[in-house]
Amino acid sequence: VSERHGDATTDPGLRSWLPVADGSDFPIQNLPFGAFVRAGESKARLGVALGDKIVDLRSLARAGLLDGVLPDALEVFSQPDLNAFLGRGRVAWRALRTRLSCLLSVGLAEMQAAALAERALVAQSDVQMRLPLRVGDYVDFYSSLEHATNLGKILRPGGEPLLPNWRWIPIGYHGRANTIVVSGTPVTRPHGQRKAAEATGPDFGPSRMLDFELELAFVTGDGPPQGTPLPAARAADHIFGVALLNDWSARDLQAWEYQPLGPFLGKSFATSLAPWIVTMDALEPFRVRGPAQEPAPLPYLALEGPQNYDIALEVDLGPHRIARTNFRDMYWSMPQQLAHLASNGARVAAGDLNASGTISGSAPSSYGSLIELTWRGTKPLELPDGTKRGFLEDGDCVTMRGWCERSGAVRIGLGAVTGHVTAAP
Amino acid sequence: VSERHGDATTDPGLRSWLPVADGSDFPIQNLPFGAFVRAGESKARLGVALGDKIVDLRSLARAGLLDGVLPDALEVFSQPDLNAFLGRGRVAWRALRTRLSCLLSVGLAEMQAAALAERALVAQSDVQMRLPLRVGDYVDFYSSLEHATNLGKILRPGGEPLLPNWRWIPIGYHGRANTIVVSGTPVTRPHGQRKAAEATGPDFGPSRMLDFELELAFVTGDGPPQGTPLPAARAADHIFGVALLNDWSARDLQAWEYQPLGPFLGKSFATSLAPWIVTMDALEPFRVRGPAQEPAPLPYLALEGPQNYDIALEVDLGPHRIARTNFRDMYWSMPQQLAHLASNGARVAAGDLNASGTISGSAPSSYGSLIELTWRGTKPLELPDGTKRGFLEDGDCVTMRGWCERSGAVRIGLGAVTGHVTAAP
């Protein structure tokens, strides 16, 4: 039995009138959303990626091509971020996707006839990408069983690696929203308190254990009013799409600060987000069952059917591939994370960002952070250029990529999130 | 040697032309900022409290009375929240305060002459208060030595109550910004996972250990760009003012979820903020030295001179006073908290809210939460009406008040933050 679905917008037979190279991240079946700045302008515009171009949504709205889909499309797509559109909810998201798919597909002359192509299409190489949303609340989960187990072994040697609550609760915490930056933004090595095991007190200086974390984040629309939980079965309706995320982490700062209230300065200095948000509708053909959950989730977290997504992931350090894994084996699914987050009545809002936690598989080559790949620096990576890495050095560039592939479906890419480390001030 | 300072705006001799009752929270020396909605309107306006009235800042700006103080006063005070004004920084904050003090003081006819009094003044009893700011990032610190010690004894009996990092780091964590509500908003008892010590697994239901936390929060303007730390000596320049805050806490949810990443759903369902932000300039006469810090703070947290504030605080449960304490004995000061938060390069932004953590003194009657006042419910409070409380019951109303008083200065009040508990859905 296939667990995969889709609709006309994911049909493998669909072709855009704009030529798209085979193997592009952004065929017409994808249409991810982003914010960009054109040369000579300062205000961000909103668009969807198609091949190596971007379709400017405001231009389409001005030409009346989104009439009947979104009542105030011109206003919504004159914003510098996606928040207003996110606030319109699932019906509007789907209606727009269907319309764009139609406008951009072969055989439909409406768009070409509007002589809009020149104005509405811009080359990705000619723009700068911006953060696609104003992030409201940012939550970082901890939903890979393998990652949580590895961290338990590394940070609490001798103890039970997985804490007793982990298989009951999609563990998470709030992170700093206003230090989330778009892919490509340099990341400054943070200062902070570090305490050597044998020292009587900490000292203060640049982190010596700077790390990345390979994650996938989902963006939400508005949920019910504060005080009203979101049922698990409805949670997926409030998830707009996903983007790659690098949760930069200073392990020495984190180890000394995190008891008893959790990570704070070890994480808050920077978090990098990919520029393209790939919709759940585009990912639909790649929906799969996740791992069995044992014990069975409590009823408020119980969900029928496949809730995970088959997304191949890889991490490069400079030119060297250092990890490959897949999102499909995450223990807690995105709808479960969201249902848990909202189960106490906390409000879910358009623009909230919720990250998966580090995505690690069972093989050592599939670990999504250096602390796992090098076992806290004790087994440094030996790179093909002859250098070694326990943790990140100044100048290091980390790039994460993700994509979905299966026979019978068109490849859907997530693009990349990249960032390089600059020296502490 | 007096540690107290002030300027013309805090001069005890200053009188407003509008009569203000003796002992009011809001004499002309205070002028706290808030957002309110007038009867028949839906959009919030910005104002400062004076006695039992509010001075509508947009009305003053329209009349040109703020000309020369803030270049675009009309635009800034046509916003429904203080964020734009907060972004103008300390020089603008001070200039406006000086101008308002002048406009509203006895003997200065400018305002009366403008025949504005009727339009610009509105009775507090005729409006509804709103959240005065769009909260960017919300951080909750843990800066009372007495509270941290009490919680350590309660949650980790037998261990060392204060963890080794506490005297080195102003411990804190990020909380949920979009469930912060203005005083008076009902608070719905949250559902969540609770695990009895003897049970093999958790169940899910309404919290049985709903609590309050007496806190004071400070609001910031913009800091330096991301990646650039804020020196401790400059941190105070970025603090606009303070407001009372109730950090509602579900202790049963918190106890089961908080390892290893800290509080999440035990706190995220609601946080109540007082409507009036009292500026640091108004609090200046009440600046005092805090407790000695031992060990000496690391240089990035070292500050000369008095950094604490003498603010009397009290908590009422319904009509019954259940705690009295003072803010002056907090171990970590607000500038230290902010310097720490920014020490890793994290950006500080206009509209960020940073709470103190529960304010507890050394006497049991000065504890700022029920978990401490009742020692996790083992010693219930006996209220004058004959009822007992281990934790909060549905219908309970919690009110927190704060004020500054000393001879030679005019009393400055913080108003109140109040909220009542409604049943779980």
Side-chain angles (χ1 to χ4, degrees):
Chain A
V1 199
S2 171
E3 292 166 339
R4 299 167 180 123
H5 301 81
D7 62 10
T9 66
T10 55
D11 187 327
L14 201 64
R15 292 281 178 278
S16 56
W17 50 259
L18 182 82
V20 170
D22 279 350
S24 165
D25 273 354
F26 308 127
I28 189 170
Q29 288 81 359
N30 192 346
L31 302 179
F33 289 76
F36 62 99
V37 176
R38 296 174 88 134
E41 297 187 347
S42 60
K43 191 182 169 192
R45 294 168 173 263
L46 299 172
V48 294
L50 182 64
D52 58 1
K53 297 284 194 297
I54 301 173
V55 182
D56 183 328
L57 291 167
R58 183 162 184 268
S59 293
L60 297 193
R62 286 190 71 166
L65 293 173
L66 306 181
D67 288 357
V69 173
L70 211 60
D72 49 356
L74 185 58
E75 190 190 328
V76 167
F77 295 121
S78 294
Q79 305 301 314
D81 54 59
L82 287 165
N83 291 56
F85 179 56
L86 292 170
R88 298 310 157 101
R90 185 151 201 79
V91 171
W93 304 339
R94 283 222 162 136
L96 183 76
R97 176 176 169 81
T98 303
R99 182 54 161 266
L100 292 174
S101 178
C102 184
L103 285 172
L104 298 168
S105 56
V106 165
L108 199 138
E110 191 176 354
M111 175 125 175
Q112 290 162 295
L116 251 190
E118 207 178 331
R119 180 73 199 142
L121 285 177
V122 52
Q124 287 171 31
S125 55
D126 287 346
V127 306
Q128 286 207 317
M129 298 306 294
R130 290 286 165 88
L131 207 59
L133 68 165
R134 259 182 302 112
V135 179
D137 277 303
Y138 167 51
V139 168
D140 192 21
F141 285 95
Y142 191 57
S143 290
S144 156
L145 177 69
E146 293 75 11
H147 172 71
T149 304
N150 285 338
L151 268 280
K153 287 179 184 170
I154 293 169
L155 299 179
R156 295 179 298 275
E160 188 62 42
L162 210 60
L163 293 177
N165 56 13
W166 198 91
R167 286 176 178 271
W168 294 98
I169 294 179
I171 294 287
Y173 68 100
H174 286 94
R176 193 161 188 84
N178 83 11
T179 45
I180 297 173
V181 296
V182 73
S183 174
T185 308
V187 169
T188 306
R189 179 181 298 272
H191 281 76
Q193 290 194 25
R194 314 151 308 179
K195 185 182 165 299
E198 65 285 3
T200 55
D203 64 354
F204 182 82
S207 170
R208 298 186 188 103
M209 300 172 79
L210 186 59
D211 201 355
F212 60 80
E213 291 192 345
L214 168 65
E215 305 198 14
L216 194 70
F218 67 88
V219 175
T220 65
D222 285 315
Q226 190 162 343
T228 306
L230 182 58
R234 306 295 307 276
D237 292 344
H238 298 268
I239 302 178
F240 173 73
V242 301
L244 292 162
L245 181 142
N246 182 349
D247 176 26
W248 302 92
S249 299
R251 302 298 180 187
D252 39 1
L253 279 57
Q254 184 183 354
W256 170 234
E257 77 177 356
Y258 90 108
Q259 292 284 9
L261 301 184
F264 187 30
L265 272 69
K267 302 277 194 174
S268 65
F269 57 97
T271 305
S272 298
L273 187 71
W276 294 111
I277 303 177
V278 174
T279 64
M280 302 322 290
D281 290 329
L283 293 177
E284 185 62 26
F286 307 95
R287 194 127 76 104
V288 294
R289 284 183 193 279
Q293 294 181 315
E294 175 56 40
L298 291 174
Y300 82 100
L301 293 175
L303 278 170
E304 296 293 318
Q307 303 294 335
N308 281 31
Y309 292 85
D310 181 357
I311 305 175
L313 298 161
E314 60 185 30
V315 181
D316 287 358
L317 181 56
H320 314 298
R321 178 81 17 90
I322 60 171
R324 287 177 206 260
T325 186
N326 195 296
F327 189 62
R328 64 179 297 157
D329 298 322
M330 294 296 277
Y331 189 88
W332 294 106
S333 71
M334 293 183 277
Q336 286 179 318
Q337 290 168 339
L338 189 60
H340 178 66
L341 182 157
S343 63
N344 67 349
R347 193 161 66 88
V348 170
D352 287 351
L353 190 71
N354 300 279
S356 57
T358 306
I359 304 162
S360 291
S362 50
S365 62
S366 69
Y367 295 164
S369 66
L370 279 177
I371 194 173
E372 295 168 88
L373 288 165
T374 71
W375 216 250
R376 203 182 198 182
T378 58
K379 300 173 186 173
L381 286 183
E382 303 199 10
L383 300 177
D385 66 4
T387 65
K388 293 185 179 185
R389 285 296 184 288
F391 289 95
L392 295 172
E393 298 185 358
D394 292 346
D396 278 352
C397 182
V398 178
T399 302
M400 298 165 177
R401 291 187 188 83
W403 67 92
C404 304
E405 251 171 350
R406 73 163 184 98
S407 68
V410 175
R411 180 184 188 279
I412 296 289
L414 273 66
V417 60
T418 186
H420 70 273
V421 178
T422 62
Chain B
V1 199
S2 170
E3 292 167 340
R4 299 166 180 122
H5 301 82
D7 62 11
T9 66
T10 56
D11 186 328
L14 202 63
R15 292 281 178 279
S16 55
W17 50 259
L18 181 82
V20 171
D22 279 350
S24 165
D25 273 354
F26 308 127
I28 189 170
Q29 288 81 1
N30 193 346
L31 302 180
F33 288 76
F36 62 100
V37 175
R38 297 174 87 135
E41 297 187 347
S42 59
K43 191 181 169 191
R45 293 168 172 265
L46 298 172
V48 295
L50 182 63
D52 58 1
K53 297 283 194 298
I54 300 173
V55 183
D56 183 329
L57 291 167
R58 183 162 184 267
S59 294
L60 297 192
R62 285 189 72 166
L65 292 173
L66 306 181
D67 288 357
V69 173
L70 213 58
D72 49 357
L74 184 57
E75 189 190 328
V76 167
F77 294 122
S78 295
Q79 305 300 315
D81 54 59
L82 287 164
N83 291 54
F85 179 56
L86 292 170
R88 299 310 157 103
R90 185 151 201 79
V91 171
W93 304 339
R94 284 221 160 136
L96 182 75
R97 175 175 168 83
T98 302
R99 182 54 161 269
L100 291 175
S101 178
C102 184
L103 285 173
L104 298 168
S105 58
V106 165
L108 200 137
E110 190 177 352
M111 174 124 175
Q112 290 162 295
L116 251 191
E118 206 176 332
R119 180 75 200 139
L121 285 176
V122 53
Q124 287 170 32
S125 56
D126 288 345
V127 305
Q128 286 207 317
M129 298 304 294
R130 291 284 165 88
L131 207 60
L133 69 163
R134 259 183 300 113
V135 179
D137 276 304
Y138 167 51
V139 168
D140 192 22
F141 285 94
Y142 192 58
S143 290
S144 157
L145 178 68
E146 293 76 11
H147 171 71
T149 303
N150 286 338
L151 268 278
K153 287 178 184 169
I154 292 168
L155 299 179
R156 296 179 297 275
E160 189 61 43
L162 210 59
L163 294 177
N165 56 14
W166 197 91
R167 286 176 178 271
W168 294 99
I169 293 180
I171 294 287
Y173 67 101
H174 286 93
R176 191 160 189 85
N178 84 11
T179 45
I180 297 173
V181 296
V182 73
S183 175
T185 307
V187 170
T188 306
R189 179 181 299 271
H191 280 76
Q193 290 194 26
R194 314 151 308 178
K195 185 182 164 299
E198 66 283 4
T200 55
D203 65 354
F204 182 81
S207 171
R208 298 186 187 107
M209 300 174 77
L210 186 59
D211 200 355
F212 61 80
E213 291 193 343
L214 168 65
E215 304 198 15
L216 194 70
F218 68 88
V219 175
T220 65
D222 285 314
Q226 188 163 343
T228 307
L230 182 58
R234 306 295 306 277
D237 292 343
H238 298 269
I239 301 179
F240 173 73
V242 301
L244 293 162
L245 181 141
N246 182 349
D247 175 26
W248 304 90
S249 299
R251 301 299 181 187
D252 39 1
L253 279 56
Q254 185 183 353
W256 170 233
E257 77 177 355
Y258 89 108
Q259 292 283 10
L261 301 184
F264 186 29
L265 272 68
K267 303 276 195 174
S268 66
F269 57 96
T271 305
S272 297
L273 188 70
W276 293 112
I277 303 177
V278 174
T279 63
M280 302 321 291
D281 290 330
L283 293 176
E284 186 61 24
F286 307 95
R287 192 125 77 104
V288 295
R289 282 182 195 281
Q293 294 181 314
E294 175 55 42
L298 292 175
Y300 83 100
L301 293 174
L303 280 170
E304 296 293 319
Q307 304 293 335
N308 282 31
Y309 293 85
D310 181 357
I311 304 175
L313 298 162
E314 59 185 30
V315 182
D316 287 358
L317 181 56
H320 313 299
R321 177 81 17 91
I322 59 171
R324 288 176 204 262
T325 187
N326 195 295
F327 189 63
R328 63 180 297 155
D329 298 322
M330 294 295 279
Y331 189 88
W332 294 106
S333 71
M334 293 184 276
Q336 286 178 318
Q337 290 167 340
L338 189 60
H340 179 65
L341 183 158
S343 64
N344 67 349
R347 195 162 64 91
V348 170
D352 286 351
L353 190 72
N354 300 279
S356 58
T358 307
I359 304 161
S360 292
S362 49
S365 61
S366 69
Y367 295 164
S369 65
L370 279 176
I371 194 173
E372 295 168 86
L373 288 164
T374 71
W375 217 249
R376 204 181 196 182
T378 59
K379 302 173 184 171
L381 286 183
E382 304 199 7
L383 301 177
D385 65 5
T387 63
K388 293 186 178 184
R389 287 295 183 289
F391 289 96
L392 295 172
E393 298 184 358
D394 291 346
D396 277 353
C397 182
V398 179
T399 302
M400 299 166 177
R401 290 187 189 82
W403 67 92
C404 304
E405 249 171 352
R406 72 164 185 96
S407 68
V410 175
R411 180 184 189 280
I412 296 288
L414 274 65
V417 60
T418 187
H420 70 273
V421 177
T422 61

